[in-house]
Amino acid sequence: MDVLNFECSNMKNGETFPVENTGRGQDCSPEFIIKNLSPRAKTLAIILEDIKHPIFKNFTHWLIFNIPAREKIDGAIPGGKIVSGLGNARQGIGYGLYRYAGPKPPRGKQHLYRFTMYALDREIGLTGIPTKSRFMKIAGKYMIQRGNIIGKYE
């Protein structure tokens, strides 16, 4: 799988999450800029995970998939199973129930969070409850690029 280079417009890899993108702020998704999207990409998917959760390894905060391939994804994606303003992208279940749910560790504890973005060569038809594990099982063979950004909070 090839590397997908992307960035969040208001946070560099390894930096602290801006408050507006956390559960202690506006809890809105950041804007993403994709740098080297393959011409074969048809859709994008993003997963946000707490990779230092003390109980649940790689705890899912957000899953969104079937975003039409593009070089920019606007921030503040609204909640809902289907995001009509984003080409009918689908959101899954995690800490955020069909919506973005930013970092919100216990006060005084710092956690690390990872955005992973995938470029796929097709839409993913996921029936039933859209969880990260179900998505990964079906989408794995269609992924052509992957990249990630790590951020910390608290």
Side-chain angles (χ1 to χ4, degrees):
M1 188 179 319
D2 292 336
V3 172
L4 179 61
N5 295 316
F6 73 97
E7 57 188 44
C8 293
S9 62
N10 58 355
M11 179 183 81
K12 296 202 181 319
N13 192 35
E15 289 185 348
T16 300
F17 264 77
V19 172
E20 65 262 21
N21 301 126
T22 73
R24 303 224 194 285
Q26 290 81 30
D27 210 11
C28 63
S29 61
E31 174 185 81
F32 297 95
I33 309 296
I34 296 95
K35 299 293 188 177
N36 66 329
L37 188 61
S38 168
R40 296 186 315 131
K42 301 289 185 235
T43 65
L44 298 168
I46 305 169
I47 297 173
L48 173 61
E49 300 167 291
D50 180 342
I51 58 175
K52 289 293 184 179
H53 194 284
I55 300 169
F56 305 107
K57 181 180 174 163
N58 298 336
F59 181 73
T60 305
H61 273 247
W62 185 43
L63 164 64
I64 186 167
F65 60 100
N66 289 347
I67 301 168
R70 58 186 62 203
E71 294 180 351
K72 179 183 166 195
I73 300 170
D74 290 333
I77 294 171
K81 292 180 183 181
I82 305 292
V83 184
S84 59
L86 195 54
N88 290 324
R90 295 191 58 204
Q91 294 189 93
I93 292 181
Y95 181 61
L97 202 61
Y98 301 110
R99 67 173 184 84
Y100 175 85
K104 191 178 177 182
R107 295 219 184 257
K109 304 282 184 183
Q110 184 181 80
H111 285 206
L112 290 178
Y113 299 85
R114 176 178 58 214
F115 282 111
T116 304
M117 185 179 295
Y118 301 93
L120 300 95
D121 64 6
R122 67 189 62 208
E123 282 191 3
I124 301 302
L126 188 58
T127 58
I129 298 171
T131 62
K132 176 182 71 177
S133 62
R134 294 187 74 230
F135 170 79
M136 295 300 289
K137 184 176 183 178
I138 293 170
K141 60 187 166 203
Y142 306 116
M143 294 175 178
I144 56 177
Q145 291 176 287
R146 176 183 63 211
N148 61 57
I149 292 175
I150 304 285
K152 56 190 171 188
Y153 192 64
E154 286 280 278

